[in-house]
Structure formats: structure tokens, C-alpha cells
């Protein structure tokens, strides 16, 4: 088997590492905008060789793991070049624009749109780790538009990675993921910003930061190059979630201003059930 | 040595566990509003016996680890009862109101105001763990108002717990901690609320939640009974941080609305230095 990974970062690199242990005879080729990333990926044993897009005709499997703006440009090109038996998957955090850009491609049936809900705040080949996907959810969109053979091949891969599968239409995916992922990133980035701005004037403030602050601000370490195009592509849904979040924060502030501590308590009490929900 | 722990929860319980291993001959007494907590704490080996406030005259060390509203009521009472050699410390997340309520007490010099920046989202005796304080910061306020002998005794305890000490005036503590702790809790609670409200109508949304969401929403599992009085006592500072946070979120939303993705990128890029700050 010949596996081509386009974008050897956290996700693409981690997938390669796991698939390598399942397909011992497979050869792993890497394509990346950064020559450094490619060299590093070879050193780290993530890929066997670097290559270029024109060689994709040889691919059995192509994993497109690039920022979502780049995916919109690359995916049609990849489908132009591949052979008729190849499976192409993407792993981006938006699904509607990506499904749309390949909707009428003659090789649409070779493509499967997926979103593995796995990751860390780190990026690049160095961030790749084994078993990143174990026990995680993979959301597959528009499965009916992918040919049976390629569906089966993909499901076998995801099973080997240890993922559980959820099927969803692309619009619902983008709407839901705005709440449970994209909003978290913005809340974290703006929390970091609010505290850093203060720190300019007030020394030693971060000395006082505990694990709670670190937890809520962790996502503010994420890559702006990856997240800016996600926010752009999912703009409408994200603005809706941000509006609701800002309204809730403003209401909470008003409860404090009005010394309505019974309601402050209730707000927190009601939200405590996140414990059960996230179990 | 006779150690009295008032409030056998996460903080009081964890302190008892660590101190027990350093003072093998000490007897640990527990006082708690909840009879269940006391029974559990005995079973868990956190305290040796339960007792009542009138027995505090025998104490060498009293650790007051109750919600901050209760601390305001209990601390003066504790100081009324103790003997002249005892050390009383509190561990609350607000320091100005607590220092104020004992400011003119005749035994003010037996008291040390502290805030160990340690904790988890869990509460109660079951949440108590060993080595919770190891490597963590302990903020001591108004140290000059505590007698030398009691200061020394306290520093010895904190060294045994493995804590590093920062000295700060109570007003500055409350102002800073609003940014690096209290705001994080509100951002997390309101994030949880925003997503839960959506989930009422939209099924399966939490199936899509990854580790990023779990991290940002972790603090929303915290105890409302503990946090409501903290927000009340630190109201002015918290409202200031909330205002700044809401302004930052609103600006970010407007950048998205205006398709100003260069600035969206810059906002995140600038906040990325939280990586270095938190190292």
C-alpha cells in the first residue's frame, strides 16, 4: 500500500504513526509546504520519503491534513490526479465548505469527508503522537456520496486507529462543532488576551495562576494559521455561538451587579450537570 | 501537636493528609458543618477525631478551610477561643474581606491570611489528595500583622507541604486573583451554560466534544456553594475583569463580522505568547 500524507503536522503525522504499525509493508510519502517539516518527519520516522503532488497517481490512500483554506484548493487537485481506486480523506474542522468544493468533482466518490475529534494545542511533526485517535470520535459527513469500496477501506482504517464513528450531514457538523470546539478556542484566546493585557501593567500576576487558569487558557496556545481559516469558513455559526456566550456572560455580570447571589448560585448549579454530560 | 481542621474538604483534607506524614505524633481534629463529611474524613484517615469549636483552646494549629462567607463568621470566633500560642490560618480565595474582619481582633497576631493556589474542580473529603500543594504557590497577605513565632511556624508548615511563598497585600491579591482565577471560573461556567442550552434542542452535540472543550469547561464542575461567596466578596474586581473579557470577545466577533481575518490572526498570534508566560 502507498500512503500519501499531505500536511505532516499533529493530525497527519499522528495518523501516519498509527497506520505504520498496522500496515508494516506500506510506504508512507509526505507532502508539505514546509521543507523543514518534511525533513523532520523523515527523521521522526513519520514518513519514509518526501514527494510531490504529481506522484499522487500512485496512491492507494491520500490523507489531506492541511489548514482548511489550503484543503479547499488542494482537494480538487488531488482528485484530479489520483487513480480510480484511491481513497482520499480530509480531516478538517469544517465540513460544509470542503464537501461543497468537491461536490461536482468526477471523482467525488473517491473522497470521504471526516473530522477526527482529536488534537492538542500543539502543531507540526513534533506534535505527532501515537494512539492520538484511540477512543476518540470521528465524524463522517455525506457518507452516501462515497463509493462502497472506499467507505469500507476508510472504516477499516478508523477501526485500526481505535475511533468510534458518528455520521452527520456537513451543515449539522459545522453548526454543532461551533459550540463544542470553535467557541472554546475563542473563549480561551480572549481569556488569555484579557489577562495578558492586564499583566503589562501588573507584574507577577502569572505567578498566581493555578491549574484552573492553565486549563481554561490551554487552547490559546493553538496555531493561528490553522484556526483563522476555520473561523472564516464557519463564520456564521461561530458568530451565533459568540453572541449567545456574550449574552450569558453579560447576564452573569448583571446578576453580580444587582447582588442577586441566589441566581448566581443557580446559574452555576444548573451548569454543574456538565459533570454528568461529559462522563 | 494538636491540629484542628475546620472544613474537611479538598483543601483542608489535603493539608491534613500531608501534615500527618510530617507530624506523626500530632492528633488531627475535624470540625465540619456536615456530620457525613466528618464520618467520611475519619474513615479516609484524614482526621483522627471529630470535635467542636469550644475545644479550640487546646489547638496548636487551626486551619480554616471553609467557604469564604463562613470564614468571615468563624474566624473571629476561632480567635476568641484559642490559646495565646496557637497559629490560625485561613486558605480562602479572597483575602481583603477576611483580613478586614479580623483586623482589630485582640488575637490578630495569631492569624495568618493565606491563599494556596491549588485545587481541582472536585470538593468534599473524598476530593482530598496527598501532595496537592507540592510545587504550588501560596500567597501570604499582611504578613507583618502576624507575630514572628506564628509566621515561623506557618513557613515551616508550607515548606513541608512543598509550597513556594509569595507575599502580597490583600487588595492586590484580590485584584490579581480575579484575573487568573475567578474570571476563568466564570468563563468556564458560562461556556458550559451556552453549550448546554443548545443541547436541549440539538441532540448528540456532546458526542462531538473533544479534549479542548473538556479543558475549557472543566471549572464549570466546581462547587457553587464555594464560588458564590467568592464572587460576592470580590464583586468589584470580578466585574472589571468580566467587562474587559466581554469587550475582547465582542471585538473578536466584530472582526469576524467584518471579515477582517488578518486581525483575527493577529489577535491569536499575540495571545500565543501565553505559551512562554505559563512555562
Amino acid at each position: 500500500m502507498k500512503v500519501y500524507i499531505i500536511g505532516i503536522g499533529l493530525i497527519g503525522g499522528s495518523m501516519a504513526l498509527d497506520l505504520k504499525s498496522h500496515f508494516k509493508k506500506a510506504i508512507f510519502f509526505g507532502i508539505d509546504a514546509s521543507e523543514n517539516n518534511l525533513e523532520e518527519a523523515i527523521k521522526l520516522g513519520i514518513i519514509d520519503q518526501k514527494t510531490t503532488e504529481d506522484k499522487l497517481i500512485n496512491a492507494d490512500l491520500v490523507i489531506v491534513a492541511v489548514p482548511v483554506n489550503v484543503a479547499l484548493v488542494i482537494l480538487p487537485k488531488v482528485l484530479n490526479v489520483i487513480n480510480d481506486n484511491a481513497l482520499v480523506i480530509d480531516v478538517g474542522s469544517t465540513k460544509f465548505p470542503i464537501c461543497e468544493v468537491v461536490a461536482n468533482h468526477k471523482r467525488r466518490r473517491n473522497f470521504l469527508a471526516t473530522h477526527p475529534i482529536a488534537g492538542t494545542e500543539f502543531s507540526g511533526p513534533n506534535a505527532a503522537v501515537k494512539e492520538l485517535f484511540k477512543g476518540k470520535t470521528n465524524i463522517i459527513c455525506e457518507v452516501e456520496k462515497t463509493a462502497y469500496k472506499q467507505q469500507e477501506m476508510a472504516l477499516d482504517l478508523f477501526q485500526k486507529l481505535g475511533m468510534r464513528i458518528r455520521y452527520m450531514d456537513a451543515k449539522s457538523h459545522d453548526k454543532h462543532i461551533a459550540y463544542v470546539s470553535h467557541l472554546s478556542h475563542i473563549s480561551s484566546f480572549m481569556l488569555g488576551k484579557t489577562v495578558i493585557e492586564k499583566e503589562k501593567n501588573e507584574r507577577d500576576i502569572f505567578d498566581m495562576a493555578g491549574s484552573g487558569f492553565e486549563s481554561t487558557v490551554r487552547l490559546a496556545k493553538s496555531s493561528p494559521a490553522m484556526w483563522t481559516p476555520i473561523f472564516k469558513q464557519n463564520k456564521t455559526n461561530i458568530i451565533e455561538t459568540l453572541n449567545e456566550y456574550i449574552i450569558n456572560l453579560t447576564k452573569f455580570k448583571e446578576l453580580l451587579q444587582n447582588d442577586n447571589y441566589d441566581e448566581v448560585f443557580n446559574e452555576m448549579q444548573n451548569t454543574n450537570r456538565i459533570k454528568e454530560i461529559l462522563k
Side-chain angles (χ1 to χ4, degrees), chain A residues 69-133:
Chain A
N69 57 327
V70 184
L72 291 187
V73 181
I74 276 189
L75 270 173
K77 287 191 198 172
V78 170
L79 292 177
N80 289 342
V81 183
I82 53 161
N83 70 67
D84 283 341
N85 294 313
L87 164 66
V88 179
I89 66 169
D90 94 298
V91 295
S93 189
T94 56
K95 291 272 71 70
F96 185 73
I98 283 170
C99 287
E100 210 179 19
V101 82
V102 298
N104 301 312
H105 197 286
K106 61 175 179 181
R107 293 219 181 83
R108 173 62 184 88
R109 295 177 66 76
N110 292 75
F111 170 68
L112 186 70
T114 81
H115 181 195
I117 312 284
T120 69
E121 66 275 31
F122 307 112
S123 45
N126 258 317
V129 288
K130 283 182 186 167
E131 304 202 331
L132 178 65
F133 305 99

Side-chain angles (χ1 to χ4, degrees), chain A residues 153-182:
Chain A
M153 187 175 164
L155 289 179
D156 176 59
L157 295 176
F158 298 143
Q159 199 189 10
K160 287 188 163 72
L161 295 174
M163 306 198 83
R164 52 181 207 157
I165 304 298
R166 292 285 178 275
Y167 296 98
M168 202 174 265
D169 69 279
K171 269 199 175 166
S172 299
H173 167 275
D174 288 6
K175 193 178 165 66
H176 289 322
I177 208 73
Y179 281 92
V180 292
S181 167
H182 302 174

Side-chain angles (χ1 to χ4, degrees), chain A residues 206-221:
Chain A
F206 285 101
D207 241 20
M208 300 172 72
S211 60
F213 179 67
E214 290 205 33
S215 177
T216 43
V217 89
R218 178 170 74 83
L219 298 178
K221 301 175 183 174

